[in-house]
Amino acid sequence: MVREVNAELVDKGLKGIEKNLNRLTEKGTITEAVKKEIRGRLKGTTAIEDLKNCDVIVEAIIEQLPAKRDLFWRAG
């Protein structure tokens, strides 16, 4: 699950991942089947609540304490 603050950023992030997967497929690093499997596991959201069933969450928010506090306060 990929979470962003708005749908535009979700789309941009997923397109970037798709571009990298295509590059790996073109180089022969991964097969088309592997690419489809990876892409099939990725979903995007803007709702923090959608992360509640995730086993692992990687926080990659901007390095500003108010933003981090806001994120973790809402997630709590």
Side-chain angles (χ1 to χ4, degrees), residues 1-4 10 44-52 74:
M1 180 73 64
V2 177
R3 191 251 177 194
E4 269 295 355
V10 170
T45 187
T46 58
I48 199 162
E49 300 82 26
D50 291 342
L51 304 177
K52 68 182 176 185
R74 287 185 293 135

Side-chain angles (χ1 to χ4, degrees), residues 18-52:
E18 186 75 29
K19 180 179 176 182
N20 288 327
L21 289 173
N22 286 336
R23 191 173 328 160
L24 291 171
T25 303
E26 290 167 7
K27 287 182 175 182
T29 305
I30 62 173
T31 64
E32 186 70 29
V34 170
K35 178 183 93 168
K36 287 180 181 179
E37 178 186 333
I38 292 168
R39 187 58 187 91
R41 290 192 310 248
L42 293 173
K43 295 179 180 29
T45 187
T46 58
I48 199 162
E49 300 82 26
D50 291 342
L51 304 177
K52 68 182 176 185

Side-chain angles (χ1 to χ4, degrees), residues 48-49 51-52 57 68-76:
I48 199 162
E49 300 82 26
L51 304 177
K52 68 182 176 185
I57 296 176
K68 288 183 181 275
R69 283 184 177 149
D70 180 56
L71 171 67
F72 289 112
W73 178 79
R74 287 185 293 135

